[in-house]
Amino acid sequence: DTGVSQDPRHKITKRGQNVTFRCDPISEHNRLYWYRQTLGQGPEFLTYFQNEAQLEKSRLLSDRFSAERPKGSFSTLEIQRTEQGDSAMYLCASSLAFGEPAEKLFFGSGTQLSVL
Amino acid sequence: DQQVKQNSPSLSVQEGRISILNCDYTNSMFDYFLWYKKYPAEGPTFLISISSIKDKNEDGRFTVFLNKSAKHLSLHIVPSQPGDSAVYFCAASARGSSNTGKLIFGQGTTLQVKP
């Protein structure tokens, strides 16, 4: 098992453009989370899935953000009409809903987004 | 509002000594607490956790202490090693009746262990 992988590692875009990030969780994990981290802060929860169902979205997540996990495996996070305030590290994590504590999250290395 | 706070942005200790990292929380609904460690260019990795029904949990060189009345937890690393140099995040969860696994993180403390 190679762990949680995220693609791309870095993304530079111009304000107003759309971007999409991909996350491949650990294969047997049924929960998948998206977090956002800015400099000097801890990760902030954005949304999570159990299998293909999106069960919770943070108030931080504006209508420009959308996440999907179509077959309960990989997930995508899309940001439309990017703004400079969207510049951050976007972290994906996965976990098991049962057996292990669900809070024991396994994180990917993240996608660093820079909006110019 | 910052529900989980790590008031010390950085800590420097000598190799072999004890490192103590502190964390305070405000939400009484939090009942599960974790510490994550993060190296540069990597995602956070789970280190140790504690349920609110306990006041101490130990795993090798790492011990987490929970003081519910003070809404305070701490991570002790003994002895500290240079490889422990990283950013440490405290995190909390309100399990309640729905164990979502959603975590609220503190701002992090950068630990430097000097050889």
Side-chain angles (χ1 to χ4, degrees), chain A residues 76-96:
Chain A
T76 57
L77 178 67
E78 180 183 18
I79 309 174
Q80 295 182 327
R81 305 180 303 281
T82 52
E83 301 173 356
Q84 288 183 327
D86 297 331
S87 296
M89 173 73 79
Y90 289 83
L91 292 163
C92 177
S94 67
S95 74
L96 284 169

Side-chain angles (χ1 to χ4, degrees), chain A residues 31 33 35 56 103 105, chain B residues 36 41 95 99-100 102-103:
Chain A
R31 285 189 173 173
Y33 302 81
Y35 282 80
E56 187 172 344
E103 296 90 346
L105 305 186
Chain B
Y36 281 79
R95 286 179 156 181
N99 190 3
T100 67
K102 172 184 169 183
L103 297 180

Side-chain angles (χ1 to χ4, degrees), chain B residues 25 66-72:
Chain B
Y25 62 96
L66 175 63
N67 182 334
K68 284 189 296 183
S69 61
K71 293 190 176 66
H72 177 84

Side-chain angles (χ1 to χ4, degrees), chain A residues 2-107:
Chain A
T2 56
V4 178
S5 62
Q6 292 187 245
D7 184 68
R9 290 294 302 273
H10 304 274
K11 179 70 177 178
I12 300 173
T13 191
K14 292 183 178 178
R15 184 165 49 94
Q17 297 294 304
N18 299 343
V19 294
T20 300
F21 310 141
R22 177 181 170 120
C23 171
D24 288 89
I26 293 172
S27 56
E28 63 266 29
H29 285 182
N30 48 7
R31 285 189 173 173
L32 186 147
Y33 302 81
W34 286 99
Y35 282 80
R36 178 172 64 189
Q37 185 179 13
T38 53
L39 200 60
Q41 300 296 317
E44 288 180 303
F45 171 82
L46 294 179
T47 187
Y48 97 98
F49 294 83
Q50 181 153 323
N51 301 313
E52 65 275 10
Q54 188 174 19
L55 297 185
E56 187 172 344
K57 291 171 61 173
S58 167
R59 291 172 298 165
L60 297 173
L61 215 60
S62 79
D63 292 343
R64 298 183 297 105
F65 288 71
S66 63
E68 293 183 344
R69 194 183 183 197
K71 296 182 180 179
S73 56
F74 74 92
S75 175
T76 57
L77 178 67
E78 180 183 18
I79 309 174
Q80 295 182 327
R81 305 180 303 281
T82 52
E83 301 173 356
Q84 288 183 327
D86 297 331
S87 296
M89 173 73 79
Y90 289 83
L91 292 163
C92 177
S94 67
S95 74
L96 284 169
F98 306 102
E100 284 272 20
E103 296 90 346
K104 187 176 178 181
L105 305 186
F106 293 78
F107 282 88

